[in-house]
Amino acid sequence: MAVLVTGGAGYIGSHTCLELLNAGYEIVVVDNLANSSTESLKRVQELTGKDFTFYQTDLLDQEAMEVVFKQNKIDAVIHLAGFKSVGESVRLPLRYYHNNMTGTLVLCQLMQEHAVKNIVFSSSATVYGMSDSVPISEDFPLSATNAYGRTKLMIEEMMKDLYESDPEWSIALLRYFNPIGAHSSGKLGEDPNGIPNNLMPYITQVAAGGLNELHIYGSDYPTRDGTGVRDYIHVVDLARGHLKALEKVVSSKGIEAYNLGTGRGYSVMEMIASFEKVTGQRISYRITDRRPGDIGVCYSDPSKAERELGWVALKGIEEMCRDAWHWQSNNPQGYQKEKPILFTGIS
Ligand code: WQD
């Protein structure tokens, strides 16, 4: 049984591919390398000792994607490919709608044509918008406060319509909270383009000397120490959640959303303290104004995934910090990225 992993060279993708191969799955990877490198796939191959097929292809290239489906017996899809920067999506909404929405449309149309109706979709906790209560469960109201979050929300809605039109589909919508950390080998990890938007890669680059101080966005939130609280989840736990969702979509029909989080929230100050404790690195920081669009507190109720998928996050915050630092200190320049193929279209 071949599993097509779109975006398989990325941060979540490479960790998911490693878990799939180690579990004995045959995989086919599609990635346009816009935000990733084949180096991550080479390392997945080294770590697992297993080969797999890779296409450097853009989902928007319908002809190229047709070839993927014709050349491989795909039984299920794990769809991770997509742009994911909130800030960039506000500046370039059309690029985000075209890439994330049209790319998913092309994928789903090809799946339908080839009678492949099992899909695990990479959604996000951003579909809960500015939720005013925690812990967040899957039945909370959905909304979006930026173009990126709206693409995730609209794709979820599109998939619900798809299932309504054809109950033969089996769809899992995985709402990620805050993935951080890296594989324990230190060979895979998060390698953002340019200055990191997210907290943990910023911290590890300060620790590595690439950035001189962390700006803490606000210390006047209604939290233990005034700084923002999030539900950080180890990327390996997150990857393993995809395998549990895959098992479910290949064995039943329907469409369900699942929170992939730990159910615990940590503040920025607590993350800094934990990182300094387990790595011995000191993180200099400065408190600055709140980041527009940020919420104060966000963490999950992950009990539905535990109940229905038999999945629970096992790794604690110290292991997340240790593994994040192990990756960054072993790879101060991340992966050396190749030139991506970007399909012509709306920019
Ligand atoms: C975490 C906390 C910041 C950076 C983002 C995406 C979201 C999802 C998860 C994809 C907040 C604070 C951060 C910094 C800081 N990704 N912070 N200084 O904003 O919860 O969500 O990642 O689905 O779409 O928006 O994560 O890591 O950016 O911020 O103080 O330099 O760290 O204010 O409290 P966020 P984050």
Side-chain angles (χ1 to χ4, degrees), residues 175-180 231-242 244 259-264 266 300-307 309-317 319-320:
R175 294 171 180 164
Y176 303 169
F177 277 73
N178 289 59
I180 63 170
D231 183 336
Y232 298 97
I233 175 173
H234 197 292
V235 66
V236 172
D237 277 327
L238 188 81
R240 290 171 179 163
H242 288 73
K244 289 291 189 183
N259 287 339
L260 293 193
T262 65
R264 284 201 59 180
Y266 287 91
S300 68
D301 169 357
S303 58
K304 182 180 176 187
E306 183 169 2
R307 206 172 42 250
L309 301 180
W311 172 89
V312 66
L314 299 172
K315 295 174 182 289
I317 205 71
E319 189 171 356
M320 294 180 215

Side-chain angles (χ1 to χ4, degrees), residues 77-329:
V77 176
I78 296 181
H79 178 31
L80 310 175
F83 293 155
K84 61 155 215 152
S85 165
V86 169
E88 188 182 55
S89 80
V90 173
R91 292 193 304 276
L92 300 170
L94 295 183
R95 186 161 186 262
Y96 269 66
Y97 283 114
H98 185 52
N99 186 70
N100 293 3
M101 302 285 302
T102 312
T104 303
L105 271 171
V106 168
L107 174 69
C108 290
Q109 284 165 336
L110 283 167
M111 289 178 69
Q112 193 167 54
E113 284 164 26
H114 293 266
V116 178
K117 299 183 177 181
N118 302 320
I119 184 168
V120 175
F121 172 59
S122 164
S123 189
S124 167
T126 40
V127 302
Y128 295 116
M130 306 291 271
S131 171
D132 50 16
S133 64
V134 283
I136 297 172
S137 58
E138 289 84 354
D139 57 355
F140 269 34
L142 305 181
S143 67
T145 57
N146 55 71
Y148 161 75
R150 237 177 305 282
T151 65
K152 292 296 185 183
L153 187 51
M154 290 165 81
I155 291 169
E156 286 200 10
E157 293 304 310
M158 181 184 74
M159 290 193 175
K160 288 170 190 167
D161 289 337
L162 181 56
Y163 175 70
E164 287 304 313
S165 74
D166 176 359
E168 283 305 302
W169 280 81
S170 183
I171 303 168
L173 308 169
L174 302 186
R175 294 171 180 164
Y176 303 169
F177 277 73
N178 289 59
I180 63 170
H183 186 258
S184 58
S185 65
K187 289 184 176 298
L188 300 180
E190 191 168 8
D191 183 19
N193 287 335
I195 305 286
N197 297 308
N198 296 136
L199 180 67
M200 184 51 82
Y202 204 105
I203 285 177
T204 58
Q205 289 192 24
V206 168
L211 294 167
N212 61 25
E213 70 176 3
L214 171 71
H215 295 170
I216 297 180
Y217 298 141
S219 61
D220 58 350
Y221 286 106
T223 64
R224 291 182 284 276
D225 54 34
T227 61
V229 168
R230 294 290 185 277
D231 183 336
Y232 298 97
I233 175 173
H234 197 292
V235 66
V236 172
D237 277 327
L238 188 81
R240 290 171 179 163
H242 288 73
L243 270 68
K244 289 291 189 183
L246 176 64
E247 287 169 20
K248 175 156 168 68
V249 299
V250 300
S251 58
S252 62
K253 309 295 181 196
I255 182 167
E256 288 293 343
Y258 297 101
N259 287 339
L260 293 193
T262 65
R264 284 201 59 180
Y266 287 91
S267 73
V268 176
M269 293 305 289
E270 288 167 336
M271 292 300 287
I272 292 170
S274 179
F275 186 87
E276 291 182 335
K277 177 186 171 196
V278 299
T279 65
Q281 303 295 318
R282 219 188 66 69
I283 300 299
S284 56
Y285 62 82
R286 184 151 50 93
I287 307 280
T288 61
D289 293 338
R290 291 184 177 192
R291 180 171 61 178
D294 268 2
I295 54 178
V297 184
C298 175
Y299 59 86
S300 68
D301 169 357
S303 58
K304 182 180 176 187
E306 183 169 2
R307 206 172 42 250
E308 296 189 11
L309 301 180
W311 172 89
V312 66
L314 299 172
K315 295 174 182 289
I317 205 71
E318 295 195 354
E319 189 171 356
M320 294 180 215
C321 291
R322 186 179 304 113
D323 290 343
W325 177 235
H326 187 198
W327 152 256
Q328 187 73 76
S329 53

